[in-house]
């Protein structure tokens, strides 16, 4: 069994830049099942004030483990990609402990695979999150020229830029002045400037790649970026009156995230006395070509006490 796990880790984790960079590893594999572990690291903190993990790292782990379970369910090797993923956050996740995930591909059709997962830390019987995901099977494989869409030819390097094409704001600034959030810094998320309403940007880094063949960003990274944008946008909207805490987050993947900078814009759909709903649109070439659309519910909690450092609750 150890030799099998070593082989799976070499092929599944070792060939995936993002999994390898964060130290993720496969801890179990069986028929239609997969288990993975994310080692504890200070970079995963998303709420410095309360020392809680960013939910984005849980999404990366769940997406990866569900993908492993789908691969274990297939009788013949074939490419597949995440269609959608929903995370439900059951209790806070703190640092100082590894994070585990057990996933099960519970139904397989000719075109679609369905998987669910539980994420936990100290006790398997006390999950910190659950995930539900669907995957499209037999998606196109093979390498493409970076920056070109599926079915498109290489871009003409000598072509004049389209003046009507969307242009990213030229500047950027920290998302939270005077406060460092480790996971936000790990992803390199910035606030585009000038931009009104707020526009968030995530510069491309090789370590964010989840599919090296296309290449494409890891789906969990896109989700983590989108949820960060939603949380920060809500914090700005509330102006310190309350602080948001993630209840659930759902993402639909529309296109592969190419190895270029990614942007996110948010809309606060509703703010109630206890819960807020935020929608997010992520794109690369322009807002009319989103790579993902997302929505999340956030519990609104009272501001921190006067003697407690104000910090965003990205957990």
């Amino acid at each position: 069994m150890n030799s099998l796990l070593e082989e799976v880790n070499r092929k599944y984790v070792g060939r995936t830049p993002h999994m390898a960079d964060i130290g993720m590893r496969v801890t179990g594999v069986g028929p239609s099942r997969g288990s993975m572990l994310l080692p504890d690291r200070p970079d995963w903190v998303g709420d410095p004030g309360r020392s809680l993990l960013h939910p984005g790292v849980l999404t990366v782990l769940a997406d990866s483990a569900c993908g492993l379970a789908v691969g274990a369910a297939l009788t013949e090797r074939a490419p597949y990609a995440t269609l959608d993923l929903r995370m439900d956050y059951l209790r806070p996740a703190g640092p100082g402990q590894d994070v585990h995930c057990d996933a099960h591909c519970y139904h397989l059709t000719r075109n679609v695979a369905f998987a669910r997962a539980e994420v936990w830390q100290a006790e398997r019987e006390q999950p910190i999150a659950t995930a539900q995901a669907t995957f499209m099977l037999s998606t196109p494989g093979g390498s493409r020229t970076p920056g070109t869409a599926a079915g498109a030819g290489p871009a003409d390097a000598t072509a004049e830029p389209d003046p009507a094409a969307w242009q990213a704001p030229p500047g950027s600034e920290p998302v939270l002045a005077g406060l460092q959030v480790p996971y936000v810094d790990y992803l390199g998320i910035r606030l585009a400037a000038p931009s009104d309403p707020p526009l968030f940007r995530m510069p491309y880094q090789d370590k964010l790649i989840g599919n090296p063949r296309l290449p494409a960003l890891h789906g969990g990274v896109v989700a983590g970026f989108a949820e960060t944008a939603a949380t920060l946008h809500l914090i700005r909207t509330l102006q310190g009156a309350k602080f948001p805490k993630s209840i659930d987050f759902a993402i639909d993947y529309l296109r592969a995230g190419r190895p270029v900078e990614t942007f996110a814009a948010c809309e606060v759909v509703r703010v109630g006395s206890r819960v807020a709903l935020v929608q997010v649109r992520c794109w690369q070439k322009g807002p009319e070509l989103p790579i993902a659309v997302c929505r999340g519910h956030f519990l609104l909690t009272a501001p921190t006490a006067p003697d407690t450092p104000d910090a965003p609750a990205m957990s």
Side-chain angles (χ1 to χ4, degrees):
M1 187 61 167
N2 288 337
S3 60
L4 173 61
L5 287 181
E6 289 176 5
E7 182 69 7
V8 174
N9 275 292
R10 184 181 68 82
K11 291 182 176 180
Y12 189 62
V13 175
R15 296 175 182 175
T16 306
H18 186 61
M19 291 188 201
D21 186 78
I22 64 179
M24 195 181 296
R25 68 177 184 268
V26 176
T27 56
V29 64
S32 302
R33 293 185 178 274
S35 300
M36 300 190 74
L37 177 148
L38 178 68
D40 174 54
R41 195 159 127 184
D43 288 330
W44 310 152
V45 171
D47 183 349
R50 295 183 297 167
S51 295
L52 300 178
L53 300 189
H54 192 291
V57 301
L58 309 183
T59 306
V60 170
L61 178 60
D63 185 36
S64 302
C66 284
L68 176 65
V70 170
L74 297 176
T75 56
E76 295 182 6
R77 186 174 179 181
Y80 51 90
T82 315
L83 278 177
D84 61 57
L85 175 70
R86 174 190 165 105
M87 297 290 297
D88 291 298
Y89 304 109
L90 308 182
R91 49 180 54 85
Q97 301 179 74
D98 297 338
V99 186
H100 308 261
C101 183
D102 292 335
H104 175 212
C105 178
Y106 62 93
H107 186 64
L108 197 64
T109 72
R110 220 176 134 186
N111 299 303
V112 181
F114 301 84
R116 53 184 167 230
E118 287 189 340
V119 183
W120 52 283
Q121 286 187 298
E123 299 180 30
R124 176 67 178 82
E125 296 73 21
Q126 295 289 321
I128 57 178
T130 60
Q132 186 84 21
T134 56
F135 292 78
M136 190 71 190
L137 306 179
S138 300
T139 53
S143 301
R144 300 192 190 104
T145 304
T148 62
D156 183 358
T158 63
E160 291 293 328
D162 181 1
W166 181 80
Q167 299 292 323
S172 65
E173 57 190 39
V175 292
L176 291 168
L179 179 66
Q180 287 188 319
V181 181
Y183 190 64
V184 173
D185 293 339
Y186 172 80
L187 293 182
I189 299 173
R190 304 275 291 178
L191 188 65
S195 64
D196 186 25
L199 178 64
F200 300 89
R201 64 196 317 163
M202 181 176 68
Y204 170 71
Q205 303 175 71
D206 290 342
K207 68 182 182 180
L208 304 183
I209 289 293
N211 184 339
R213 294 188 64 193
L214 287 178
L217 300 178
H218 193 291
V221 167
V222 176
F225 169 51
E227 189 162 3
T228 298
T231 307
L232 292 171
H233 185 85
L234 188 54
I235 288 172
R236 293 169 68 95
T237 301
L238 297 173
Q239 296 183 340
K242 292 183 178 180
F243 287 106
K245 178 182 178 182
S246 296
I247 298 174
D248 60 54
F249 197 78
I251 180 168
D252 292 293
Y253 298 98
L254 308 179
R255 295 175 175 83
R258 313 306 297 179
V260 296
E261 189 170 29
T262 306
F263 299 86
C266 308
E267 176 191 2
V268 178
V269 179
R270 183 179 184 274
V271 176
S273 59
R274 300 179 63 190
V275 176
L277 173 64
V278 182
Q279 293 181 341
V280 188
R281 189 182 187 92
C282 299
W283 71 84
Q284 294 178 323
K285 290 185 176 182
E288 74 284 357
L289 293 171
I291 64 170
V293 291
C294 326
R295 66 128 182 94
H297 287 98
F298 295 84
L299 180 67
L300 304 181
T301 62
T304 53
D307 58 346
T308 302
D310 289 341
M314 295 190 191
S315 59

